[in-house]
Structure formats: C-alpha cells, structure tokens
Amino acid sequence: MSSNYALRISHFALNILLLLLIFSNIADAAPLIPSINVEVGTAENPQEVATTLEIMAVLTIVTIAPGFLIMTTAFIRVVVVIGFLKNALGTQTVPSNQVILGLALFLTFYIMAPYWSQANDNGIQPYLNGQISVEEAIDNTLEPVREFMFRQTRESDLALFVNLSEAERPNTQEDVSTFVLIPAFMISELKTAFQIGFMIYIPFIVIDMIVATTLMSMGMMMLPPVMISLPFKILLFVMVDGWHLLVNSIIVSFK
C-alpha cells in the first residue's frame, strides 16, 4: 500500500518536473508570468456593464459566504460548546483558537454533508446540466438546509421572529421565510450550546470546589486553587476520554 502511494507521488513529481522543463523552453517572447492590468473606464456597450455587475455579485457572494456558513449550519453549536470546554478546563491557550476553529469547521462539514449532498444532487447539478431554471435551483438547494434548520429550531424562537416581522401566521413550514428562519435558528443553537456548556462545567466546578476547600483547610490561602486543580481536571478529562465523549455528544445532539 505504501509502495503504491510512494510510486504515485514520484509520478506526480515527475510530471511537475516535465511541465517546468517545457515552460522553461518557451521562447523569450512569451514570458511565464502574464501581465495583469486593472483599468477603470467607461463601458462601451451594455454587455460590458452586465459583465461588471456579474463580477461584483460573485465577489459579494464570496465575501458573505463565511457568514452564511456560520448562520445556517452546525458551526454555532460546535464552536460554542468547545469554547465552554476550554474555559471549564481553565487552559488559556490550549487548544489554540486556530485548532478550535479548525475542529469546529470539519465537524460542521461532517454533520452537514448529507444535507449539502442532497442540495447538490437536487439543485446545483440539475441547474448546471440545464434541466431546471435558476429559481427552481435556488429552491431545491435551500430545501435541505431549511429542513436542517427547522429540526434544530424551537417553535417559541420561530414564533418570536414571525411576530416581530409582522407577517401573516404561517400554516406550513413552506410559508416561513428563510430570513425569519435564520435568526430563530441561531438563537436556538445558542441556547442549546449553553445548555451543553452548563453540563460540561459541573464536574470541573466540583473539582475546583474540592481543591479550594482542601487548600483553605490546610491554611494555604495564598496558593491559587486554579494552579492545583488544573492538572486534576486535565487528568479527569483524559481518563474519561473527554474528546470522544464531547464530539459524540455534539453529533448525536443534531439527530
């Protein structure tokens, strides 16, 4: 298995080397690095204006894409719960924020994979193949994401934003606007994450109280209890296989 993998790597490296040799033999009149010019001028026809607007729309979508990833997926609950765990342990810089965000991001991909796959099969691919219109593609793409958000949204939170929007009372889920569903989903996720975080805090608070009481009974009040309790909390977390339990609890909470 490893020999085949090494053989593939060597073939890939050889192909890259051949490409570099081919490009190095190109005539001097054709430089490797093309020149890029950015100019601002007056459009000569409506097609240029339309192209410019399309480029601006694509750049806008790329800019707000991370926001939609946070607002409409499992990312909120995952990152908040892991943040509670870090604070409960009392470790200030371990794990780092980059590690927490990376773990939360990949767990989000894992949880959302079935819904994104359904959105791709029903919305994106048929549109790229010319089988459906843009409106149908948007509806089919949003449908599985809305289904996920409805499963995790509390009725009280949804009713709050429906009433605040002064819209008509919806009879079915299809009548609920996506712009009403997203904030309701977000506050529901925050409440669920805080509930899980409270349960995470309990065993670590017990350890802090036991250590603080023991130090006070020994007259060692000048010694910070956090310094003594931190190794015991890490030991407890490792002994119970805390990361396994935490990740399993987060994923199961979405089912």
Side-chain angles (χ1 to χ4, degrees):
M1 184 71 179
S2 59
S3 61
N4 293 333
Y5 180 74
L7 185 60
R8 292 178 183 177
I9 294 297
S10 62
H11 287 169
F12 177 76
L14 182 59
N15 292 331
I16 294 297
L17 181 60
L18 290 175
L19 288 176
L20 292 176
L21 291 175
I22 292 173
F23 280 119
S24 63
N25 293 327
I26 297 177
D28 296 336
L32 293 179
I33 303 177
S35 60
I36 300 176
N37 297 323
V38 179
E39 298 179 357
V40 178
T42 304
E44 298 180 357
N45 50 63
Q47 287 75 15
E48 293 183 1
V49 178
T51 303
T52 303
L53 294 177
E54 290 178 359
I55 295 175
M56 293 179 61
V58 170
L59 293 177
T60 303
I61 293 174
V62 171
T63 303
I64 64 177
F68 280 105
L69 176 64
I70 294 174
M71 291 185 296
T72 61
T73 63
F75 185 83
I76 297 177
R77 185 185 307 183
V78 175
V79 74
V80 171
V81 169
I82 298 177
F84 271 119
L85 172 65
K86 181 178 178 180
N87 292 331
L89 283 172
T91 56
Q92 300 299 324
T93 58
V94 180
S96 63
N97 292 333
Q98 290 82 358
V99 175
I100 292 177
L101 292 176
L103 177 61
L105 190 62
F106 280 101
L107 287 178
T108 301
F109 290 158
Y110 178 82
I111 295 170
M112 299 299 300
Y115 302 95
W116 288 345
S117 177
Q118 184 178 353
N120 179 67
D121 296 338
N122 298 337
I124 299 177
Q125 293 302 323
Y127 172 72
L128 295 178
N129 296 330
Q131 300 174 356
I132 58 177
S133 62
V134 177
E135 292 77 9
E136 293 176 338
I138 294 176
D139 293 338
N140 294 343
T141 303
L142 288 178
E143 182 179 357
V145 179
R146 283 170 54 90
E147 179 185 355
F148 169 78
M149 289 191 290
F150 272 118
R151 287 184 177 182
Q152 310 303 325
T153 303
R154 294 176 174 83
E155 293 184 1
S156 58
D157 296 331
L158 186 59
L160 170 65
F161 285 96
V162 170
N163 294 331
L164 291 177
S165 65
E166 298 181 355
E168 297 182 359
R169 183 181 180 87
N171 297 322
T172 61
Q173 292 183 352
E174 288 74 14
D175 298 334
V176 179
S177 172
T178 303
F179 295 101
V180 173
L181 176 60
I182 290 177
F185 166 77
M186 292 181 66
I187 64 173
S188 295
E189 286 293 281
L190 288 174
K191 182 176 181 179
T192 303
F194 273 65
Q195 291 175 343
I196 299 175
F198 173 77
M199 301 302 297
I200 291 175
Y201 257 97
I202 293 178
F204 298 113
I205 289 178
V206 173
I207 294 177
D208 287 332
M209 294 177 62
I210 293 174
V211 171
T213 303
T214 304
L215 293 177
M216 290 183 63
S217 63
M218 297 174 61
M220 304 174 65
M221 291 180 292
M222 299 300 295
L223 185 63
V226 177
M227 183 182 300
I228 306 300
S229 63
L230 179 58
F232 291 100
K233 291 191 287 187
I234 295 177
L235 178 62
L236 173 65
F237 189 72
V238 172
M239 290 180 61
V240 300
D241 198 1
W243 287 112
H244 176 85
L245 293 176
L246 179 68
V247 172
N248 179 71
S249 300
I250 292 175
I251 295 177
V252 171
S253 66
F254 285 100
K255 297 181 179 180

